[in-house]
Amino acid sequence: MMNLEFRDSRPIYSQIADNFRNQITTGILRRDDKLPSVRELASELAINPNTIQRAYRELETQGMIVTIPGKGCFVSGSSDDLFELWQAFDHAVTQLMSRGISKQQLLEYLIQGGNYNAPNE
C-alpha cells in the first residue's frame, strides 16, 4: 500500500513516483514487474487518474519503467542494475567507514559530486 501525505509540500504525483522509485531501487519491484493500471491505482488511492498518469510519465522519462500499449507499465531492465549499484555502494560505504571515514566525510564527498583525489605521497 502506498502512503500519501496530503499535507506534504510535494505534489501527489511526485510522492507516487518517489514511492515507486524507492521500490524499484531497493529491489522490491524487479525487472518486468507490472505496475498497477492507472485506473486501478487511482481507484485504490481515491485520486484522479491523471495524477497517476503523470507519475508514470515521470518514471518513464527517467527510464525506470516502460509502457507497452494495451498491456500496461512495467519496470524496465535498469532496476536490477540500480539494485546492484546500491548494493555495491552499501559495501563501499561499509568498507570506508571501517577504515575511519566518518559519515560527515562521506556526506561532504557526495555533496561535492565525488571525484576523489588521492593525496600526493
Side-chain angles (χ1 to χ4, degrees):
M1 180 73 183
M2 193 171 298
N3 292 324
L4 299 177
E5 294 294 328
F6 292 97
R7 294 181 183 197
D8 194 322
S9 62
R10 294 175 304 147
I12 297 299
Y13 80 89
S14 184
Q15 291 182 50
I16 293 167
D18 287 348
N19 190 289
F20 280 120
R21 196 176 297 108
N22 182 49
Q23 290 181 43
I24 292 168
T25 57
T26 59
I28 294 170
L29 288 173
R30 312 276 300 179
R31 180 189 337 205
D32 298 329
D33 281 353
K34 188 176 189 308
L35 274 58
S37 73
V38 170
R39 284 184 189 164
E40 179 184 337
L41 189 56
S43 176
E44 179 181 321
L45 298 175
I47 59 176
N48 190 309
N50 292 330
T51 304
I52 305 298
Q53 188 62 45
R54 187 167 179 186
Y56 282 7
R57 198 170 33 252
E58 181 177 308
L59 291 168
E60 189 167 27
T61 299
Q62 295 169 349
M64 300 198 82
I65 67 171
V66 294
T67 301
I68 301 173
K71 302 239 183 230
C73 295
F74 298 84
V75 176
S76 71
S78 64
S79 68
D80 287 339
D81 297 339
L82 286 172
F83 182 66
E84 290 173 14
L85 286 171
W86 278 112
Q87 286 182 316
F89 179 76
D90 288 347
H91 179 72
V93 167
T94 301
Q95 293 294 312
L96 288 165
M97 292 181 77
S98 73
R99 293 189 173 122
I101 303 297
S102 70
K103 289 180 183 179
Q104 184 61 38
Q105 287 172 303
L106 286 170
L107 183 58
E108 288 171 12
Y109 174 79
L110 291 172
I111 290 170
Q112 293 173 5
N115 298 323
Y116 176 73
N117 293 316
N120 294 328
E121 296 186 38

